[in-house]
């Protein structure tokens, strides 16, 4: 479905680039109960009105030294993370009996909590009773989750469908709090609460982050909850579509006061984030856990952090989140973007009836209708678009370039430290790893230097020839900034088999092994401190593009 641009809209466009819009689609992928692939969902992020979619518009080895530095004095001890990660897991966390659409569903009235804080669950079910099981997601020897807490049986009630605000078309529910959950003793981390209706009538997830009070000395895993909500069409509306299937009836703001529809309530977590969480915990590095909303509301949260990890789909950022991540980079914190289309939309966070920061506002091309903009607040449109244009490339080094694509990933520098141990040589390709959205280095936009292009993969996007670039640049603070240039990177971490099944977009075990090793190299070096001091980027834009 198309998202139609505002005809009166203007945005800065480098020479040779013509802005265009794209479309949204939803495809199914990986097998297994409740497992859905958001290839089209991811692409829709790109497909916004403001984008130039497909109508254009050297260092040393990351070996023992990096691993030792990651646990050196001054870094957070990895012992707690290892102790938790080495516990036995519970492989029965997966949903096997989803039931009917309204069998059971719910939402938490806090996006994140500190351990020991309580939160409310708001549940609707057609069953007379249900239970709640809190699973901490991680590695756990491959089980991927551990049961932390289980409720007694709770009384169920069937609640009404959501209300739709006539002005913003925001869907909210007025469901009362069903249960208050105390998180005393819960380890920090990413959680899925599984709701089980009585007598097997249905199951659903409710995501929650038990966030870290400090990130000092740690690698920070960020749950991209604003992006999850942007694509959440529970109740018939999200930031892309409404009941008519297009832009005119889409929401202008979306609320956390409703369940997630996708992946049985897990939102985008299982596709774009869980494989990264599992890999990071398997490495035993000191980790911290938070959300993009917490980064926005706590200016000092990243103080002393070694690295910040943006997951596979992290499109919607508030100006506060961007400012605080930029400040961390300028203080030496490394940044890894393990997806594409990152930091593309500018949002505003507003309260809901249940608390602050629970409404994501993004008018996009309709920003002139926003009363907040009229009152002097920043426009909630694309960061690269006027007014107040501030392209994401100034922070990330890469710029979002289009959707949809499906192309091989082509290694450009086999001697680079990030490719150590992969067995890949220059020119090797990995089918289907580039997709469905992609980024590139384009010096027509603000581009930090020095920047090094490590993979330069040809793509054809609706007939337009371009490239997806994996890039690494170093900031004056010594921070390293890495971007994969493809939205499928985190999904690829779980790729297995020969690709013929079609799972994981037909990416195979060779691709899975490659992305895991590169990510391990990256995380170990980034966990050791400002990567640019030991692994400076060697600018090669002119060699790759012939100019710049």
């Amino acid at each position: 479905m198309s998202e139609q641009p505002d005809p009166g809209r203007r945005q800065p466009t480098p020479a040779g680039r013509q802005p265009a819009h794209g479309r949204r689609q939803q495809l199914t992928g990986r097998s297994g109960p409740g497992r859905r692939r958001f290839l089209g969902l991811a692409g829709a992020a790109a497909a916004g009105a403001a984008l130039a979619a497909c109508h254009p518009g050297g260092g040393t080895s990351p070996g023992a030294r990096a691993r030792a530095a990651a646990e050196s004095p001054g870094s957070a001890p990895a012992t707690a993370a290892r102790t938790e990660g080495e516990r036995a897991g519970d492989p029965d966390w997966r949903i096997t009996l989803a039931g009917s659409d309204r069998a059971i569903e719910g939402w938490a009235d806090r996006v994140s909590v500190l351990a020991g804080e309580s939160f409310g669950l708001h549940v609707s079910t057609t069953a007379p009773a249900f239970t709640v099981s809190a699973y901490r997601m991680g590695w756990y020897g491959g089980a991927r989750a551990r049961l932390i807490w289980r409720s007694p049986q709770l009384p169920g009630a069937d609640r009404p469908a959501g209300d739709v605000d006539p002005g913003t078309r925001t869907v909210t529910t007025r469901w009362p709090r069903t249960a208050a959950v105390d998180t005393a003793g819960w380890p920090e981390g990413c959680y899925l609460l599984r709701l089980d209706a009585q007598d097997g009538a249905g199951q659903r997830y409710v995501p929650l982050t038990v966030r870290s009070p400090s990130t000092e000395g740690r690698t920070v895993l960020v749950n991209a909850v604003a992006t999850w909500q942007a694509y959440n069409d529970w109740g018939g509306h999200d930031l892309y579509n409404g009941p008519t299937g297009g832009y005119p009836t889409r929401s202008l703001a979306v609320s956390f006061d409703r369940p997630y529809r996708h992946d049985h309530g897990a939102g985008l977590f299982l596709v774009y984030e869980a494989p990264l969480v599992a890999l990071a915990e398997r490495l035993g590095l000191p980790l911290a856990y938070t959300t993009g909303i917490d980064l926005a509301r706590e200016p000092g949260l990243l103080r002393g952090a070694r690295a910040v990890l943006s997951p596979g789909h992290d499109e919607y950022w508030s100006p506060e989140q961007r400012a605080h991540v930029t400040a961390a980079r300028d203080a030496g914190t490394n940044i890894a973007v393990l997806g594409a289309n990152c930091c593309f939309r500018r949002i505003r966070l507003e309260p809901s009836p249940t608390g602050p920061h629970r409404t994501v506002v993004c008018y996009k091309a309709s920003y002139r209708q926003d009363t907040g903009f009229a009152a002097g607040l920043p426009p909630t449109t694309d960061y690269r678009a006027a007014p107040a244009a501030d392209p994401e490339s100034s922070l990330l080094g890469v710029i979002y370039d289009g959707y949809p694509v499906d192309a091989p990933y082509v290694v450009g520098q086999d001697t680079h430290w990030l490719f150590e141990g992969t067995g890949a040589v220059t020119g090797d390709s990995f089918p289907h790893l580039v997709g469905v959205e992609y980024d590139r280095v384009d010096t027509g936009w603000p581009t930090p230097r020095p920047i090094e292009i490590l993979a330069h993969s040809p793509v054809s996007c609706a007939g337009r020839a371009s490239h997806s670039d994996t890039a690494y640049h170093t900031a004056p603070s010594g921070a390293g900034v890495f971007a994969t240039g493809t939205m499928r990177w985190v999904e690829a971490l779980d790729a297995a088999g020969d690709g013929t099944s079609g799972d994981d977009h037909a990416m195979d075990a060779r691709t899975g092994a490659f992305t895991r090793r590169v990510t391990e190299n990256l995380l170990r070096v980034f966990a050791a401190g400002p990567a640019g001091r030991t692994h400076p980027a060697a600018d090669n834009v002119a060699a790759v593009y012939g100019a710049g």
Side-chain angles (χ1 to χ4, degrees):
M1 304 170 201
S2 295
E3 177 174 302
Q4 299 298 328
D6 183 334
R9 182 178 193 189
R10 295 292 182 269
Q11 61 178 346
T13 305
R17 181 188 299 272
Q18 298 298 319
H21 57 278
R23 64 171 180 260
R24 180 181 185 196
Q25 57 178 294
Q26 181 174 312
L27 301 181
T28 305
R30 187 180 185 87
S31 60
R35 183 73 170 181
R36 302 181 64 177
R37 289 297 175 192
F38 293 89
L39 180 141
L41 272 177
L51 195 216
C54 284
H55 307 275
T60 58
S61 167
R65 182 177 61 169
R67 286 189 288 272
E71 300 177 20
S72 65
S75 69
T79 306
R82 282 193 176 138
T83 299
E84 176 60 31
E86 290 171 356
R87 291 177 181 269
D90 294 280
D92 64 349
W93 61 270
R94 294 174 177 84
I95 283 178
T96 57
L97 296 169
S100 64
D101 284 349
R102 296 299 307 277
I104 189 166
E105 51 193 349
W107 50 273
D109 57 21
R110 302 278 297 276
V111 168
S112 71
V113 294
L114 294 171
E117 293 182 337
S118 65
F119 65 93
L121 272 177
H122 301 246
V123 177
S124 174
T125 179
T126 56
F130 68 97
T131 59
V132 185
S133 302
Y135 289 96
R136 184 186 181 278
M137 310 305 292
W139 173 239
Y140 298 110
R144 295 296 182 98
R146 182 171 79 87
L147 179 65
I148 302 297
W149 170 84
R150 179 166 285 156
S151 76
Q153 201 165 74
L154 302 170
D158 191 5
R159 305 298 180 184
D163 299 324
V164 181
D165 182 271
T168 61
R169 299 180 290 277
T170 303
V171 178
T172 57
T173 72
R174 308 288 179 181
W175 302 347
R177 177 183 280 197
T178 310
V181 180
D182 184 355
T183 64
W186 291 24
E188 300 169 10
C190 307
Y191 283 74
L192 290 179
L193 311 178
R194 197 183 70 202
L195 311 177
D196 291 87
Q198 189 178 56
D199 298 328
Q203 298 173 307
R204 289 294 187 280
Y205 293 125
V206 176
L208 179 78
T209 304
V210 177
R211 68 181 186 272
S212 304
S214 170
T215 65
E216 185 172 2
R218 303 186 191 185
T219 294
V220 184
L221 290 158
V222 181
N223 294 138
V225 294
T227 300
W228 303 356
Q229 199 55 252
Y231 287 92
N232 180 20
D233 59 358
W234 190 94
H237 295 263
D238 62 14
L239 289 180
Y240 293 86
N241 293 308
T244 63
Y247 183 79
T249 57
R250 70 179 183 90
S251 294
L252 302 173
V254 287
S255 173
F256 286 98
D257 293 358
R258 58 178 179 154
Y260 289 102
R261 189 174 75 84
H262 299 295
D263 240 344
H264 303 316
L268 304 187
F269 172 75
L270 287 173
V271 175
Y272 292 115
E273 305 189 17
L276 176 61
V277 173
L279 184 146
E281 293 204 351
R282 179 172 62 80
L283 294 179
L285 300 173
L287 299 175
Y289 306 83
T290 194
T291 73
I293 290 179
D294 296 306
L295 291 181
R297 67 183 182 83
E298 295 187 39
L301 183 58
L302 294 177
R303 187 174 296 115
R306 292 293 178 88
V308 177
L309 307 186
S310 167
H313 197 178
D314 192 9
E315 177 181 353
Y316 287 77
W317 286 38
S318 68
E320 294 81 7
Q321 177 181 352
R322 180 167 174 174
H324 300 159
V325 171
T326 300
R329 178 205 63 184
D330 293 345
T333 297
N334 303 307
I335 300 172
V337 178
L338 298 167
N341 189 222
C342 179
C343 191
F344 181 66
R345 310 280 193 189
R346 183 191 288 115
I347 63 170
R348 184 171 68 248
L349 297 171
E350 292 186 346
S352 80
T354 58
H357 308 112
R358 291 191 57 83
T359 302
V360 177
V361 180
C362 193
Y363 277 67
K364 303 181 185 176
S366 304
Y367 69 88
R368 294 179 188 86
Q369 301 174 21
D370 181 7
T371 56
F373 175 70
L377 297 174
T380 54
T381 184
D382 303 343
Y383 271 105
R384 67 182 65 184
D390 186 14
E392 68 272 19
S393 57
S394 64
L395 172 62
L396 308 179
V398 294
I399 191 88
Y400 174 60
D401 196 57
Y403 154 85
V405 299
D406 180 276
Y409 180 96
V410 181
V411 174
Q413 291 193 60
D414 59 9
T415 58
H416 197 273
W417 58 269
L418 276 163
F419 297 134
E420 182 189 76
T422 63
V425 299
T426 298
D428 274 0
S429 65
F430 296 84
H432 309 294
L433 180 51
V434 175
V436 60
E437 299 182 285
Y438 70 98
D439 298 338
R440 61 171 291 192
V441 173
D442 184 345
T443 56
W445 301 97
T447 305
R449 309 297 279 269
I451 189 165
E452 193 169 7
I453 298 171
L454 312 178
H456 187 58
S457 307
V459 300
S460 177
C461 194
R464 177 174 65 88
S466 188
H467 287 85
S468 163
D469 292 328
T470 294
Y472 171 71
H473 75 267
T474 45
S477 66
V481 180
F482 171 80
T484 65
T486 171
M487 189 170 280
R488 289 184 182 160
W489 191 272
V490 171
E491 290 182 80
L493 298 175
D494 279 350
D498 61 7
T500 58
S501 70
D503 291 352
D504 296 308
H505 313 299
M507 293 183 289
D508 59 13
R510 173 174 167 268
T511 299
F514 170 77
T515 54
R516 286 192 297 273
R517 182 56 189 261
V518 173
T519 306
E520 290 168 10
N521 292 343
L522 174 76
L523 297 189
R524 286 186 172 120
V525 166
F526 274 24
R533 297 177 186 172
T534 55
H535 299 74
D539 198 297
N540 65 348
V541 174
V544 173
Y545 277 103

